[in-house]
Amino acid sequence: VKVGSEKTIDKAKSFAAEELEVNAADVEYQAGEFRIAGTDRAISLFDVAGRQPEARITLDATEKVGGPTWPNGCHVCEVEVDAETGVVRLDRYTTIDDVGRAVNPMILHGQAHGGIAQGVGQALMEHLAYDAQGQLLSGSFLDYALPRAGDVPAFVTALSEVPSTNHPLGFRGGGEGGITPALGVIMNAVVDALAEFGVTHIDMPASPERVWQAIRDASAAAPAGR
């Protein structure tokens, strides 16, 4: 958008100069208007576009710029697991994400919070269950669990703004900073918490039943006396 807009303005500047009867070098553009430098004589971008015969000029532009941009970050969480019931409680969750230049930090923090909540749901409770005939058993929110406010702590999120060298404005992606790492960091925390029982893996979602069963299975497989 930035580069295409600049090319469109440059293309329109010569036509604005014709309308203002000056050299293009004497024309400045700002806030939607072409103005003769040092004077109050001006014409709007829309007027310039509207006065050109359709066959002569269209004020648009396309441009391929830069290359891919890669956000990155670090997420850390702490969980507590009740070994008697298999219930997992998320106690703390802290993140820092490099999004390049942050256009609107408030929106970015909101995206991170929402993404983490989505990851919590997928890691701990959301599950598509089918019967032996392939009939979906969790087809409504009566049976399909979603995280609620009480299932998540107050997230601590921070932004690291290192401008991308592949983008004219230094932007990186910011919308997936919560959901992508959340699955791994939560499941790793759960398995780490259960390491003393000999648990080395649990499939998502780590529901209380699955956690409870994993503890029992690992204990049953442990050598006598452990």
Side-chain angles (χ1 to χ4, degrees):
V1 171
K2 177 184 185 294
V3 175
S5 298
E6 290 174 344
K7 290 184 68 174
T8 297
I9 290 168
D10 287 341
K11 186 186 296 185
K13 186 175 289 186
S14 62
F15 296 99
E18 289 182 11
E19 297 293 334
L20 296 170
E21 299 180 333
V22 296
N23 291 325
D26 297 325
V27 176
E28 300 175 337
Y29 177 83
Q30 185 175 8
E33 282 191 336
F34 293 97
R35 184 182 303 275
I36 301 175
T39 75
D40 59 359
R41 289 188 59 203
I43 184 173
S44 75
L45 173 62
F46 292 105
D47 285 340
V48 172
R51 293 182 186 183
Q52 308 310 311
E54 185 174 349
R56 182 185 181 195
I57 182 67
T58 56
L59 296 182
D60 58 11
T62 57
E63 180 77 4
K64 181 178 180 180
V65 296
T69 63
W70 305 106
N72 62 86
C74 180
H75 289 219
V76 181
C77 79
E78 178 182 339
V79 302
E80 290 192 13
V81 181
D82 187 332
E84 297 299 319
T85 64
V87 172
V88 176
R89 185 179 72 189
L90 192 61
D91 282 346
R92 290 191 293 176
Y93 198 108
T94 304
T95 78
I96 182 167
D97 289 295
D98 174 12
V99 297
R101 290 181 58 196
V103 180
N104 189 320
M106 181 179 68
I107 290 178
L108 282 168
H109 284 294
Q111 288 178 317
H113 289 193
I116 296 168
Q118 183 180 347
V120 170
Q122 187 172 343
L124 299 180
M125 58 191 70
E126 297 183 33
H127 182 55
L128 292 174
Y130 297 87
D131 65 15
Q133 287 71 45
Q135 177 64 43
L136 180 64
L137 301 177
S138 53
S140 77
F141 290 138
L142 291 174
D143 305 297
Y144 184 88
L146 283 175
R148 296 175 293 181
D151 297 315
V152 296
F155 305 129
V156 178
T157 58
L159 301 176
S160 172
E161 298 187 48
V162 179
S164 168
T165 57
N166 279 349
H167 192 286
L169 296 173
F171 301 156
R172 304 177 191 270
E176 298 181 1
I179 178 60
T180 305
L183 309 180
V185 73
I186 293 171
M187 294 306 296
N188 283 341
V190 172
V191 172
D192 183 69
L194 300 178
E196 63 183 272
F197 298 103
V199 176
T200 59
H201 173 79
I202 297 178
D203 286 332
M204 293 188 296
S207 63
E209 179 185 10
R210 284 187 174 179
V211 173
W212 183 88
Q213 191 62 55
I215 294 172
R216 268 60 191 172
D217 291 346
S219 298
R226 177 171 176 176

